[in-house]
Amino acid sequence: MAIDASLIESLNTTCMEVLGDVDVLIDGQAVDAIFHNAYNELGLGVGMESSSPYLELLSSVANGVTSATAISVSGVNYKAVMPLEPDGTGMTIIRLEEL
């Protein structure tokens, strides 16, 4: 039995509404997205650390985002690192670089 695409879209939309961060702006518009900012410790023996911020959001919302698109999360400005990463289930990951 095939999975109904509209059911997946409805589930994704509900998840973003419930789990999404309310302080994400794309081109000044509030969007439902999940912000991830994983901490990375670089094992070079010199105590360097880094993070890998990214947004997970509906592909329909991510459609049209470019490296020139203004993205803000909790007042911190970012640009999108291209290419975007759609997962084929209606969700897209946008890797971020702080400005």
Side-chain angles (χ1 to χ4, degrees), residues 4-20 32-34 56-61 87-92:
D4 183 0
S6 64
L7 178 61
I8 292 173
E9 182 178 342
S10 176
L11 179 61
N12 286 343
T13 300
T14 300
C15 287
M16 288 296 99
E17 289 171 356
V18 172
L19 301 174
D32 292 319
I34 299 171
E56 187 174 0
L57 65 164
L58 296 172
S59 295
S60 59
V61 174
D87 70 1
T89 68
M91 300 297 292
T92 294

Side-chain angles (χ1 to χ4, degrees), residues 67-72 76-80 96-99:
S67 60
T69 301
I71 300 173
S72 174
V76 178
N77 295 318
Y78 295 92
K79 74 173 189 173
L96 301 171
E97 182 179 312
E98 190 173 343
L99 298 177

Side-chain angles (χ1 to χ4, degrees), residues 21-25 35 71-78 98-99:
D21 299 310
V22 295
D23 51 359
V24 176
L25 301 174
F35 178 65
I71 300 173
S72 174
V73 180
S74 299
V76 178
N77 295 318
Y78 295 92
E98 190 173 343
L99 298 177

Side-chain angles (χ1 to χ4, degrees), residues 25-48:
L25 301 174
I26 296 181
D27 276 339
Q29 299 294 316
V31 299
D32 292 319
I34 299 171
F35 178 65
H36 301 269
N37 195 13
Y39 169 81
N40 298 314
E41 184 174 348
L42 304 176
L44 302 175
V46 292
M48 294 180 69

